[in-house]
Structures are given as structure tokens and as C-alpha cells.
Amino acid sequence: MAKFKLDEVDHQILDMLIENTRTPFTDIAKKLLISAGTVHVRVKKMEEAGIIEGSSLTLDYKKLGYSFIAYVGIYLQNTSQTKFVLQRINEIPFVTVAHITTGKFNIFCKVRAKDTNHAKDIIFQLDDIDGVYRTETMISLEESINDKKRLMHSIFQEL
């Protein structure tokens, strides 16, 4: 499959959609001085090329009562248990992200909780999974950087 080439218009379209995935194509078209049909065609091509996959919604978890964030590193008794442990982790809805990692931990998770007591309960659930040797938890004091656009702009400069 040939590599899909993005031009400056594609970059600008992606920039606006990353800022707000619900931006109407007509608004994008007006800002870029192109037709809404052109925006539609370009977005469709980027979807077909796999550059755009779906869209996402950003929730303010603090307003929903889930302001506590912890990162949990999981040590496994055996790496052969990774798939089983991930399946069990997936059953805990408060674990929002899990990565298989190299280095210190076998699995690294992001946990969202209401407070420290709730986080403790979630961590105990992780500890109780068969195959988990132990866990190590780090509490997030503040999410200081969460910017998809900076990476996107760096990638565009390389293209």
C-alpha cells in the first residue's frame, strides 16, 4: 500500500478536527476558503487511508467526580500470564489505559477514581488478579501536558 501524502490543507483540516471533532465541515471550509465538499472528500480519503480512525469525545472527569488519577505498575509472576491478566484488568472499568511494557513493570495502567479510598479498592482488585506478583502505584498530582496537536505539528514538519 502506498504511503498517503498529506498536504497543508489536510494538515489544517486535521488541526481543526483535533481541536474539536464536532466542527462542521462547512465551518472548516469557510476558514480554509475551500468548499465543504472538498473537506468531506479529504476527510473521507484520510479515513480510508487509516490516518483518521473514528472520533473521540473528551470528558471532564473532575466534573463527573473522578478527579483522582493514579498510575499502577504491575509485576507479573510470569510473562506468559500477560494476556490473562490484561483480560482481568479489562473487567475493571476504572482502569482506563493499560500498556504492556518493557523495563521495570510488565504492565502499566492508568486508574481514574473518585478519591483515595476508591483508588485503594481498585488497586486491591489489581493485586488480587491471579498472576500479579505485586503492584507499585504513583499518584498524579496534576496532568500538566496533554496536547495531541504538538505531536501532530512535529509529524507534519517531518513529512
Side-chain angles (χ1 to χ4, degrees):
M1 184 170 153
K3 186 176 177 182
F4 186 83
K5 280 294 233 184
L6 297 173
D7 64 14
E8 186 56 34
V9 173
D10 295 323
H11 296 180
Q12 291 174 331
I13 291 169
L14 286 171
D15 195 41
M16 288 184 230
L17 290 174
I18 285 174
E19 189 67 39
N20 180 359
T21 59
R22 296 174 57 143
T23 304
F25 288 175
T26 53
D27 291 357
I28 294 171
K30 285 177 190 172
K31 288 180 185 173
L32 299 181
L33 304 174
I34 58 177
S35 74
T38 299
V39 175
H40 176 77
V41 167
R42 285 173 175 261
V43 168
K44 186 79 173 156
K45 283 183 180 179
M46 288 187 278
E47 287 173 340
E48 289 170 356
I51 293 168
I52 296 175
E53 295 180 348
S55 61
S56 65
L57 182 69
T58 303
L59 297 176
D60 187 334
Y61 287 101
K62 288 179 186 176
K63 290 181 181 173
L64 295 170
Y66 286 82
S67 59
F68 190 95
I69 298 173
Y71 293 91
V72 181
I74 298 175
Y75 297 88
L76 300 179
Q77 291 169 349
N78 296 299
T79 56
S80 62
Q81 298 167 303
T82 303
K83 187 174 181 179
F84 171 82
V85 171
L86 284 169
Q87 289 169 342
R88 299 294 79 76
I89 290 170
N90 194 44
E91 294 169 3
I92 304 170
F94 307 104
V95 178
T96 59
V97 178
H99 295 271
I100 298 171
T101 58
T102 62
K104 191 174 183 179
F105 309 112
N106 299 101
I107 300 172
F108 196 70
C109 300
K110 181 178 182 178
V111 171
R112 281 208 178 263
K114 295 176 184 178
D115 52 34
T116 55
N117 281 329
H118 186 219
K120 177 188 67 161
D121 293 340
I122 297 163
I123 293 163
F124 284 178
Q125 287 179 48
L126 291 168
D127 277 328
D128 287 343
I129 296 172
D130 287 337
V132 171
Y133 172 65
R134 72 183 186 95
T135 61
E136 190 174 313
T137 303
M138 292 146 276
I139 297 170
S140 171
L141 300 176
E142 173 185 284
E143 186 175 87
S144 303
I145 298 172
N146 185 351
D147 185 357
K148 298 172 195 164
K149 288 177 82 168
R150 288 184 323 137
L151 174 58
M152 183 187 72
H153 289 287
S154 293
I155 291 169
F156 290 166
Q157 289 174 359
E158 291 177 6
L159 297 176

